[in-house]
Amino acid sequence: MKLKTSLRSALLAATMIPLGLAAQAEEITIAIGHQSMCTDTYTAGIVIKELGLLEKHLPTDGKYADAEYDISWADYSSGGPITNQMLANKLNFGVMGDYPLIVNGAKFQETDSLRTVYVAGTGYNLKGSGNAIVVPVESDIYSIDQLQGKEVSTPVGSAAWGMLLKAMQDNDIPTSEYVLKNQSPAVGAANIAAGKIDAHSDFCPWSEIMEYRGTGRKIYDGSETGVPYLHGVVVRQDFAEEYPEVVQAFIKAVYEAGEWIREDPMRAVTEMESWTGVEKEVLYLYFSKGGHLTLEPSIKTEWIDALKFNHGVLVAEKAIPPLDFDAWITEDYLKAAYADMGVDYEVDKAKMVDPEVANEGLPMEIWHSRDGISTYGTAAEFLKGMADIRATAALVNATYVYDVESGLKLFGKTAFWVKAGDDFATFLRKGEAEAYASANAGQVVTFDDAIAAYATDG
Amino acid sequence: MRNVTDVEMAKEVTLMEVVKTLGHAVRLDWRRMVVTGLTFALLMQVLMMIALMVRFQGLPNYAVGYDWIGNVIHIIKSTPSWGDIMPIVNQEWLIEIGKMNYDYGTGISEWSLNVVPVRIMVLFVLGALVALCLSLLRTDQCDVATGTTLRATTGLGTVLIAMTNATMSWVVCCAAPSWVVGLAMLGLGVSTSLALESMGPALNLAGFGLLLCTAHYLAWRKTRNPQHLSGSLKHA
């Protein structure tokens, strides 16, 4: 009897297994490839990850009522491996800069059955700041035309590489007249510090890391190319079609990450330093008011034009496959996400922040190691503030000023200072500083000399 | 009496007979071929690791294992076209051993050896083919010049295949493992190396072509001269 009961129980249990499986919740795997060493990807990467913003926005009703999400983040030092992992379907989302984005789209379109879609931006600099060419701090090179016959390294395939090619073309320096070397950011930065390379072109925030650490000096800023510098999010098309609401949730998280940074940049950079290892003073140059980066995910017509231009550069240099931009770029997910959030997408899309205009009149800043950031409306006040701090031997983390020509935010210590009468002006490049000095009967002085002018004796 | 040239003799030997000779040679020496194939594949990994350590004057400081089988199953399941599957599976790693630079951020891999099972299989086949060619050469009674030419052809084929199946990565050169890293490490300019990258599959095919032609030629010589097939099937 006991045996019969046990047998019946076992059979009943066996028949229930399929029912149990049917009732089991669907597990949705969301794998994201991001870059913790590329500032412009943070709002679609490290910030969302650390603040749990994706979890907050993921759908939980309708077909997702019983869904269980398995979210994973993988950190990469460049966009190329993210594309490879997306091809293997180990990543659904990828966050990267403009050139790697194009390679991603083209590589997928080269396959028979796989595609990605470009669903959102993360941030931009209208003029192209973020990329830059840096020389060793002791170098006697001050402008790009001095790079003729020199060795210049860059991570080939990156946005910085594209910028370098464009910059050289703009300055009539053919590739035969300089030696181009392929070096990763870390290797390039190490070689600049050791003076082993004449110049290194890199993407955000490597140039500023070198400047902040006192090993490198910027001679060319990406803004001089006039081509916008942007980053964005690509998703595997099969994933996006199966879970469109998850893609929308990701875009809402990108939007909220931008809001979180704007709300309190100091808090944001301090947190981001602990997450990424990049110095907060460097991050402040990007994420503070007047910083290099405008955080906004819309896809503007100008961005598509810039991506097409970049694709042309790659076609000429590396013969990458063609890319059907119309099939690749979609605003559908952005529009749906914005509508859900009650934000007017067209208003955001129409906005365009030009640092030259937007940063005019912004105060200079001193980051006191104990008291935090102080702002100064004029150069005289700023220099007096620095002189006072130095008189007390207090520590300063960093100082920030603006380039008169481009409106670009700079470290005070790396800017070229011009004293003309009682006024001071700050410049990114030596040539423009000297031109301003001769036009205004002034002279180029060092940062220390400028501060010394306001030091009180005793 | 007129000497019969190789070309004239070739007309008398059919392809099937050559294949039979090859089959016989494989049956006779299959253990040696398997052992050589395995040794070759493993030795290549060790040599690449040593080359990286010598070139960069440092020891590896990280190693990561990957679920290769799971990943391949995942790729097959999620890739609709069979034509897309192989190129993606070809890039799948089993083990990554390298040097991580922690000077900036959370660390960047400066160089690494990537153990790629598909490439291991290719190297295994290469080793087995080399063993077959050498086995056929050993029993061939050709003159010194012909022997040298055949050995050189086998060597060239081996170098081409081994070179194009190197799986090292170096951040200075590229973000993913590539056969041209070996060239760049040897001192060839990175730009030149990268320009050669697309020639990899053609060079690989050329290498296999040379080895197969050598094996075919040696088997043909044996077929037209049957006394060379007097060996017994020791391992059959």
Side-chain angles (χ1 to χ4, degrees):
Chain A
M1 181 68 189
K2 200 174 176 182
L3 181 71
K4 257 188 172 176
T5 313
S6 299
L7 196 64
R8 201 167 46 233
S9 304
L11 282 169
L12 189 65
T15 54
M16 292 297 283
I17 288 170
L19 291 173
L21 284 174
Q24 201 174 46
E26 182 191 9
E27 186 179 85
I28 301 174
T29 302
I30 306 170
I32 304 131
H34 70 114
Q35 300 176 62
S36 70
M37 285 304 289
C38 179
T39 46
D40 292 13
T41 66
Y42 285 5
T43 50
I46 199 76
V47 176
I48 296 182
K49 179 194 172 198
E50 296 295 338
L51 297 181
L53 296 180
L54 180 57
E55 289 85 339
K56 181 181 166 185
H57 290 286
L58 283 171
T60 53
D61 53 2
K63 74 171 182 177
Y64 300 97
D66 294 319
E68 280 179 12
Y69 295 106
D70 174 19
I71 303 171
S72 62
W73 295 82
D75 192 1
Y76 295 89
S77 56
S78 62
I82 295 178
T83 294
N84 288 348
Q85 295 299 299
M86 289 181 78
L87 278 164
N89 200 22
K90 282 184 263 176
L91 296 174
N92 316 112
F93 289 82
V95 193
M96 53 192 95
D98 39 25
Y99 279 85
L101 277 169
I102 292 159
V103 174
N104 177 288
K107 267 188 141 179
F108 267 84
Q109 287 189 5
E110 197 182 18
T111 68
D112 295 334
S113 58
L114 303 172
R115 296 288 181 273
T116 50
V117 275
Y118 178 41
V119 294
T122 57
Y124 67 91
N125 184 284
L126 183 65
K127 296 289 172 65
S129 282
N131 295 310
I133 303 172
V134 171
V135 296
V137 74
E138 301 297 341
S139 168
D140 58 0
I141 296 172
Y142 288 93
S143 66
I144 191 167
D145 51 291
Q146 290 177 275
L147 292 180
Q148 264 183 339
K150 305 287 185 188
E151 284 191 339
V152 186
S153 67
T154 188
V156 169
S158 70
W161 171 68
M163 182 275 295
L164 175 68
L165 294 176
K166 170 87 167 55
M168 291 299 205
Q169 285 164 14
D170 290 350
N171 286 275
D172 297 323
I173 306 173
T175 45
S176 57
E177 289 189 20
Y178 64 99
V179 181
L180 181 66
K181 292 199 161 188
N182 188 0
Q183 288 185 343
S184 76
V187 174
N191 283 341
I192 285 288
K196 286 183 181 169
I197 190 91
D198 294 316
H200 178 70
S201 171
D202 222 321
F203 52 80
C204 52
W206 288 92
S207 311
E208 290 77 20
I209 287 177
M210 288 182 259
E211 284 191 321
Y212 181 71
R213 293 187 183 185
T215 58
R217 173 166 44 79
K218 217 183 262 190
I219 59 159
Y220 187 90
D221 186 78
S223 59
E224 292 173 65
T225 62
V227 181
Y229 180 39
L230 51 125
H231 288 65
V233 182
V234 278
V235 192
R236 270 182 65 120
Q237 194 172 41
D238 48 5
F239 182 90
E241 285 171 355
E242 193 171 359
Y243 305 114
E245 295 83 0
V246 173
V247 179
Q248 289 162 29
F250 193 88
I251 292 169
K252 288 177 199 171
V254 173
Y255 186 89
E256 191 175 337
E259 294 286 293
W260 178 78
I261 291 170
R262 269 190 294 273
E263 197 177 277
D264 187 347
M266 179 59 81
R267 172 195 64 190
V269 297
T270 306
E271 291 277 358
M272 287 190 283
E273 181 189 55
S274 68
W275 300 333
T276 65
V278 178
E279 291 91 338
K280 56 184 181 296
E281 293 82 1
V282 172
L283 296 174
Y284 192 78
L285 206 53
Y286 278 84
F287 295 106
S288 59
K289 189 170 174 56
H292 293 354
L293 194 53
T294 305
L295 300 169
E296 195 250 293
S298 74
I299 300 173
K300 305 177 199 301
T301 312
E302 290 83 350
W303 294 177
I304 300 171
D305 292 342
L307 290 169
K308 284 179 178 171
F309 173 82
N310 295 340
H311 183 258
V313 172
L314 285 180
V315 166
E317 293 291 331
K318 285 190 90 180
I320 70 155
L323 175 59
D324 178 353
F325 283 84
D326 292 336
W328 181 53
I329 297 175
T330 173
E331 290 177 278
D332 294 351
Y333 300 97
L334 264 168
K335 286 176 178 171
Y338 267 69
D340 261 11
M341 292 188 294
V343 182
D344 190 335
Y345 176 71
E346 295 304 329
V347 169
D348 254 10
K349 189 179 173 180
K351 268 188 227 159
M352 193 80 87
V353 175
D354 182 345
E356 202 177 332
V357 179
N359 294 355
E360 203 177 342
L362 283 183
M364 297 176 173
E365 293 160 287
I366 298 174
W367 189 333
H368 192 285
S369 64
R370 190 190 60 216
D371 303 330
I373 297 275
S374 307
T375 56
Y376 302 87
T378 64
E381 289 169 15
F382 169 86
L383 292 167
K384 177 77 170 63
M386 274 302 292
D388 290 347
I389 290 171
R390 284 194 173 178
T392 63
L395 292 175
V396 170
N397 285 9
T399 56
Y400 304 96
V401 298
Y402 293 90
D403 178 29
V404 169
E405 293 289 324
S406 63
L408 193 65
K409 197 164 192 166
L410 312 170
F411 286 121
K413 66 175 184 179
T414 61
F416 290 96
W417 288 77
V418 175
K419 185 176 191 305
D422 290 336
D423 292 333
F424 283 88
T426 47
F427 294 85
L428 167 68
R429 286 170 296 272
K430 193 182 181 189
E432 283 160 5
E434 286 170 343
Y436 181 87
S438 63
N440 293 278
Q443 58 174 329
V444 179
V445 296
T446 66
F447 186 36
D448 287 336
D449 287 343
I451 294 169
Y454 288 86
T456 47
D457 293 334
Chain B
M1 189 173 149
R2 187 174 67 92
N3 280 337
V4 181
T5 64
D6 280 356
V7 176
E8 285 166 326
M9 288 294 288
K11 287 172 188 163
E12 296 163 19
V13 180
T14 66
L15 181 64
M16 273 313 291
E17 285 170 320
V18 173
V19 171
K20 269 185 193 167
T21 307
L22 275 173
H24 179 82
V26 169
R27 279 198 303 279
L28 202 66
D29 234 359
W30 69 271
R31 280 176 205 269
R32 193 201 299 266
M33 287 174 68
V34 170
V35 170
T36 311
L38 286 174
T39 309
F40 210 93
L42 291 175
L43 203 64
M44 265 295 286
Q45 309 306 309
V46 174
L47 283 176
M48 284 192 285
M49 192 74 241
I50 292 171
L52 285 164
M53 289 191 295
V54 170
R55 171 66 177 78
F56 300 113
Q57 301 280 297
L59 294 170
N61 62 359
Y62 80 98
V64 186
Y66 297 92
D67 175 15
W68 185 79
I69 294 174
N71 289 338
V72 169
I73 292 169
H74 185 62
I75 290 166
I76 293 170
K77 277 184 180 170
S78 56
T79 310
S81 164
W82 280 98
D84 293 335
I85 289 173
M86 265 325 283
I88 298 172
V89 169
N90 276 348
Q91 306 298 323
E92 279 304 302
W93 308 349
L94 178 67
I95 302 167
E96 179 189 2
I97 309 169
K99 175 85 182 290
M100 193 73 81
N101 179 340
Y102 293 105
D103 288 350
Y104 300 93
T106 49
I108 287 172
S109 173
E110 281 192 355
W111 55 262
S112 64
L113 168 70
N114 308 88
V115 178
V116 182
V118 172
R119 302 303 176 93
I120 297 253
M121 286 177 226
V122 173
L123 292 170
F124 170 80
V125 174
L126 165 64
L129 262 176
V130 170
L132 176 65
C133 288
L134 293 179
S135 169
L136 289 166
L137 258 170
R138 255 196 315 276
T139 53
D140 193 283
Q141 292 176 343
C142 56
D143 57 53
V144 176
T146 310
T148 307
T149 306
L150 288 169
R151 278 188 191 86
T153 311
T154 307
L156 179 64
T158 306
V159 168
L160 284 176
I161 299 168
M163 182 178 73
T164 51
N165 282 281
T167 48
M168 298 173 285
S169 67
W170 178 20
V171 284
V172 169
C173 197
C174 41
S178 164
W179 72 273
V180 295
V181 170
L183 300 181
M185 280 169 55
L186 287 170
L188 190 68
V190 173
S191 304
T192 315
S193 301
L194 288 172
L196 293 173
E197 193 172 19
S198 59
M199 292 170 67
L203 292 174
N204 191 39
L205 273 178
F208 272 111
L210 282 175
L211 285 180
L212 288 171
C213 285
T214 307
H216 183 271
Y217 177 67
L218 285 164
W220 170 79
R221 284 172 62 90
K222 266 189 196 308
T223 312
R224 67 164 192 177
N225 207 358
Q227 68 267 27
H228 292 167
L229 286 170
S230 55
S232 62
L233 295 175
K234 285 178 194 166
H235 309 298

